[in-house]
Amino acid sequence: MDDPESTHFIGSVVLAPVPGSVAGAISRYLVVDGQQRLTTLTLLLAAVRDHLRDSEGASRRDTDRIHHQWLTNQYEDDPYRLKLVPTQADRQSYSAVIDGAPTAGGDDPVGEAYRFFRARLAEPTDIDAPYGVSEILQAIVSGLSVVSISAHPGDNVHRIFQSLNNTGLRLTQGDLLRNYLFMRLPTRGEEVHRKYWAPLQESLANNERIETLFWLDLLHRRPQVKQSQTFAFQQARLDRLGTEDEIADEVERIARLGSLYRLMLNPELEPDQAVRMRLQRLTEWESTTPAPLVLHLLLLRDWGVATSEQIARALLSVESMLVRRFLVGHATQGLNRVFAAAVQELDTSLPADQALNLYLSAGRKHFATDAQLLDAVLTTQFYWVGRSAQRKVMMTWIERLYPTRESVSPVSLTIEHVMPQSLSPRWRTELAEQYGTDQVDELHERWLHTLGNLTLTGYNENLSNHEFARKRVTLRASSIRMNQEIATNEAWGPEQIEHRARALAKRIVEAWPGPEEGAHVAAEDNPLWSSMNRLLMVLPAGHWATYGDIARVLGTAAQPLGNRLATYPAPNAHRVLGAYGTISDRFRWTDPHRTDDPRQILEAEGIRFSASGKADPAQRLGIADLENLRADAEDDTEPQETRGESVPDER
């Protein structure tokens, strides 16, 4: 959105006229190439239309315009009423979306795409974002450009399609930039290639990494540039260089930048021990989002304006940001923009480490405070947070906070519950003796998956759901320090879990410093309920889920989730039912003016109920289904390559 007048090229579409079209009537074409793009765009327009319809103060004129101008032919009957008519397999689901039927947004690919767009549009708008739904609509209808190739009746449209989509080996943007650069070096090409380009290519091993390097270089100037725009933006910049010497200097600069990028890829090559450790940590975390910022920090040291000590502390701030956001269960969305923008927004009058921590602490960057972190460690169901590989890395890093001579690697370890997932009669008896029989299940559900009840082990089969006295022997003999600490307890239950959780939180706070004092924290910025809303938004019509299953996927308990749904508005809350498919007695619309029957709505969406009022179990979404929906709704916004981006004039 840097340049409102810029356009985005979405490629070419190949159309073939349908025989029998009558002059003066609606022109009909067979879409030979471009079906998926056109279908996706119309589903996005339908999602925008429905989002506006559900928004307060939205103009009826705007929604009608979308529907009648871009989605339907207002005065035509079927089959020409829809501007785009999909194949038979998708037609029913597609028509439901365009017509706004109750069954819109099912679990087929068309419904999934529609729900994806609705979920994204429903997310709170970043206060710093220069656009809203109106700007998105404008970008769709006016900001996209396409080459439309309309074949003549006698043309071989399949051959046209093949010529535009050859299956040969595609040149990377790194290849294109190399060719462009050396085209600009008619007399110095051999020398520059030998001195700079060949060593760069050898050190980075492949052209994909060279492409990434050129993209990271662009992010220092334009944080919003997508990787797919690398060649076009670099070419626009390089066009301003007039002599071979200037081009040669540019290749030398890129080669020097490549040597720093190589340290990020191979931290063992970093000579400073403290910096090396932080680079290794970021490699273990397996996230590319901090890459532009990390490269910039290394560049500051290379320029001589920052010391290794300052860079190590700055990298610790990056690590702390990742760790704290992970532990509080906050989605990674937006982190790539935060880290990329830091390159330009750091206060250059301060040392690099101080400037970065101040930057990360300001605004809505979700750098969790000590209080937020403690609350998350005590309440968040850590066992279900984020990606499983990162959970294990996090546990490994916590283990390394204990004094030990042994190196801990996550490769051969698994995460183990001390209080087991399935309580044996002995466990139930011991917990009941201390907390009462009626409290056992509730306390077990509350504390089971929290960090205080989890540890690392290489012998999971030896622990299982055995009583604590037996587990204690195994834990005491472990080489893992956190296990030895757990084994000092005579018994294990909620009291011990909470005590350990607080002790772990203290270690984490000391190891990964938080934001500066006075950092802004939004009162309603609870990542758990944000995640819940994103998941509920993508629950497909014609299906239902239980409070318990959704709570488990989100990493909480059924009771607080039910309390939340009964108190605050949430999308598709009527699709959340009791364990046996019954509508909860506590279910209430949060809108006091709404009196419609949730069962009737569910039936209109396709849910079948038995005579006793139970929803069909075949239509229930299980844990695995919900996990997949959540992964789609909270996809890691790591930089993704997209094709055909337009390029604003750099000059």
Side-chain angles (χ1 to χ4, degrees):
M1 305 296 276
D2 289 346
D3 183 356
E5 301 300 322
S6 66
T7 58
H8 173 85
F9 178 58
I10 61 172
S12 58
V13 296
V14 180
L15 307 175
V18 175
S21 295
V22 179
I26 292 177
S27 299
R28 292 179 291 143
Y29 294 90
L30 173 68
V31 182
V32 180
D33 182 32
Q35 304 98 319
Q36 194 168 27
R37 278 165 288 163
L38 294 176
T39 304
T40 301
L41 286 173
T42 53
L43 291 174
L44 175 54
L45 283 169
V48 171
R49 175 201 64 191
D50 296 343
H51 178 84
L52 290 173
R53 281 178 177 172
D54 294 343
S55 302
E56 293 184 5
S59 166
R60 176 68 180 271
R61 180 177 180 273
D62 289 339
T63 58
D64 287 351
R65 181 188 178 203
I66 295 173
H67 185 76
H68 295 306
Q69 185 171 348
W70 295 306
L71 298 179
T72 64
N73 297 310
Q74 184 176 4
Y75 301 108
E76 294 292 331
D77 298 322
D78 290 327
Y80 305 124
R81 182 175 58 84
L82 300 181
K83 285 191 178 292
L84 182 70
V85 182
T87 59
Q88 288 290 345
D90 296 325
R91 193 167 299 176
Q92 183 176 354
S93 178
Y94 180 84
S95 298
V97 171
I98 301 303
D99 294 335
T103 53
D107 56 2
D108 59 290
V110 168
E112 182 181 0
Y114 171 73
R115 287 185 283 108
F116 171 86
F117 290 132
R118 286 300 309 270
R120 289 297 182 266
L121 290 168
E123 289 182 358
T125 303
D126 190 329
I127 59 174
D128 296 325
Y131 59 88
V133 176
S134 297
E135 287 74 20
I136 292 174
L137 175 61
Q138 185 65 20
I140 300 169
V141 300
S142 301
L144 301 177
S145 61
V146 62
V147 172
S148 176
I149 302 174
S150 298
H152 291 292
D155 287 343
N156 186 332
V157 293
H158 180 64
R159 184 168 296 172
I160 296 173
F161 170 78
Q162 285 184 315
S163 69
L164 294 173
N165 294 271
N166 69 79
T167 58
L169 185 63
R170 184 180 67 88
L171 290 175
T172 68
Q173 295 187 85
D175 293 320
L176 294 172
L177 282 165
R178 178 198 59 208
N179 295 344
Y180 174 81
L181 284 167
F182 286 96
M183 180 184 70
R184 299 283 305 277
L185 291 167
T187 64
R188 297 192 59 188
E190 185 175 343
E191 169 207 352
V192 171
H193 186 275
R194 173 176 49 81
K195 290 178 63 176
Y196 307 122
W197 191 269
L200 170 68
Q201 203 160 20
E202 182 179 354
S203 65
L204 295 185
N206 60 62
N207 284 342
E208 285 74 16
R209 287 179 174 177
I210 292 178
E211 175 181 318
T212 301
L213 173 65
F214 275 106
W215 172 60
L216 294 175
D217 176 56
L218 279 174
L219 291 178
H220 290 165
R221 304 173 184 85
R222 303 179 70 99
Q224 302 298 330
V225 172
K226 295 181 174 61
Q227 190 163 355
S228 61
Q229 298 173 308
T230 299
F231 174 73
F233 270 94
Q234 285 284 11
Q235 182 184 24
R237 188 179 63 82
L238 294 170
D239 278 344
R240 299 197 300 270
L241 304 181
T243 68
E244 284 194 68
D245 288 344
E246 290 176 321
I247 295 292
D249 290 343
E250 182 64 15
V251 177
E252 181 182 6
R253 185 187 67 81
I254 288 292
R256 181 60 189 169
L257 199 64
S259 67
L260 302 178
Y261 181 45
R262 188 186 181 200
L263 295 178
M264 297 165 54
L265 300 172
N266 305 281
E268 66 276 6
L269 300 177
E270 165 58 42
D272 183 85
Q273 181 179 0
V275 175
R276 180 169 64 249
M277 183 186 75
R278 296 302 166 196
L279 292 176
Q280 288 171 334
R281 289 289 190 93
L282 292 174
T283 301
E284 290 178 18
W285 196 248
E286 295 185 348
S287 173
T288 60
T289 51
L293 175 57
V294 174
L295 185 61
H296 179 69
L297 293 172
L298 295 176
L299 193 59
L300 292 179
R301 184 182 63 170
D302 192 58
W303 289 340
V305 298
T307 66
S308 289
E309 291 78 12
Q310 291 169 346
I311 297 307
R313 288 193 294 268
L315 291 174
L316 174 58
S317 291
V318 174
E319 189 178 311
S320 292
M321 177 73 135
L322 295 172
V323 165
R324 287 175 174 249
R325 283 180 59 132
F326 183 79
L327 288 173
V328 300
H330 202 289
T332 57
Q333 183 174 5
L335 264 182
N336 56 327
R337 185 179 61 82
V338 168
F339 288 138
V343 173
Q344 289 187 321
E345 296 181 21
L346 292 184
D347 186 343
T348 56
S349 67
L350 295 173
D353 53 328
Q354 295 180 29
L356 179 57
N357 206 51
L358 281 173
Y359 167 78
L360 295 178
S361 301
R364 295 175 57 89
K365 299 185 179 72
H366 310 296
F367 194 178
T369 64
D370 293 352
Q372 288 175 317
L373 191 141
L374 173 61
D375 179 67
V377 170
L378 289 171
T379 61
T380 299
Q381 307 287 287
F382 177 86
Y383 193 70
W384 301 109
V385 168
R387 303 200 303 262
S388 60
Q390 288 183 331
R391 291 195 294 269
K392 193 193 295 187
V393 169
M394 188 72 257
M395 292 291 292
T396 304
W397 287 0
I398 293 173
E399 168 62 19
R400 292 175 189 168
L401 301 179
Y402 291 81
T404 180
R405 295 181 180 179
E406 299 187 30
S407 175
V408 181
S409 171
V411 175
S412 59
L413 300 174
T414 59
I415 297 178
E416 163 74 5
H417 295 78
V418 183
M419 179 174 63
Q421 298 191 64
S422 298
L423 292 176
S424 66
R426 179 68 177 272
W427 270 98
R428 284 188 171 276
T429 299
E430 292 180 353
L431 290 173
E433 288 174 353
Q434 187 170 1
Y435 301 100
T437 303
D438 295 341
Q439 297 295 314
V440 170
D441 287 331
E442 181 180 342
L443 291 172
H444 179 253
E445 182 179 17
R446 176 183 175 185
W447 293 102
L448 175 64
H449 297 306
T450 59
L451 186 60
N453 188 49
L454 302 174
T455 189
L456 288 170
T457 177
Y459 34 76
N460 184 277
E461 68 280 358
N462 293 338
L463 297 178
S464 187
N465 66 339
H466 299 310
E467 63 273 14
F468 182 68
R470 182 172 172 182
K471 284 190 174 187
R472 188 181 177 201
V473 175
T474 304
L475 294 170
R476 185 185 292 120
S478 172
S479 61
I480 296 176
R481 292 285 290 119
M482 69 169 67
N483 290 341
Q484 297 172 22
E485 184 179 69
I486 293 171
T488 62
N489 292 275
E490 297 291 337
W492 194 257
E495 180 182 342
Q496 291 78 17
I497 294 172
E498 180 177 357
H499 178 78
R500 178 171 179 256
R502 292 183 181 277
L504 290 177
K506 182 179 179 182
R507 289 181 182 271
I508 292 167
V509 164
E510 292 173 351
W512 290 286
E516 294 290 327
E517 291 293 330
H520 169 72
V521 179
E524 293 298 322
D525 187 23
N526 189 321
L528 173 62
W529 305 129
S530 296
S531 294
M532 180 193 73
N533 287 339
R534 280 190 289 271
L535 176 57
L536 294 181
M537 178 60 74
V538 296
L539 288 183
H543 292 275
W544 59 278
T546 69
Y547 291 95
D549 285 349
I550 290 179
R552 180 177 175 184
V553 169
L554 293 173
T556 186
Q559 183 175 350
L561 185 138
N563 293 340
R564 177 74 184 187
L565 290 180
T567 311
Y568 294 91
N572 298 323
H574 64 287
R575 296 176 186 171
V576 185
L577 307 179
Y580 300 103
T582 56
I583 297 172
S584 171
D585 293 337
R586 296 185 59 202
F587 178 83
R588 299 289 186 276
W589 298 112
T590 55
D591 181 355
H593 303 292
R594 189 168 184 180
T595 59
D596 43 340
D597 185 349
R599 174 169 172 172
Q600 291 180 357
I601 295 176
L602 290 169
E603 288 177 332
E605 292 176 351
I607 297 292
R608 299 178 293 273
F609 283 88
S610 67
S612 60
K614 296 179 180 179
D616 188 344
Q619 296 175 292
R620 173 179 173 177
L621 297 169
I623 292 290
D625 302 315
L626 294 171
E627 287 281 10
N628 290 333
L629 286 172
R630 187 190 184 199
D632 292 339
E634 298 194 354
D635 191 20
D636 195 318
T637 56
E638 303 267 342
Q640 298 285 327
E641 179 173 349
T642 56
R643 296 184 180 180
E645 300 290 344
S646 64
V647 184
D649 189 350
E650 285 266 304
R651 292 164 284 189

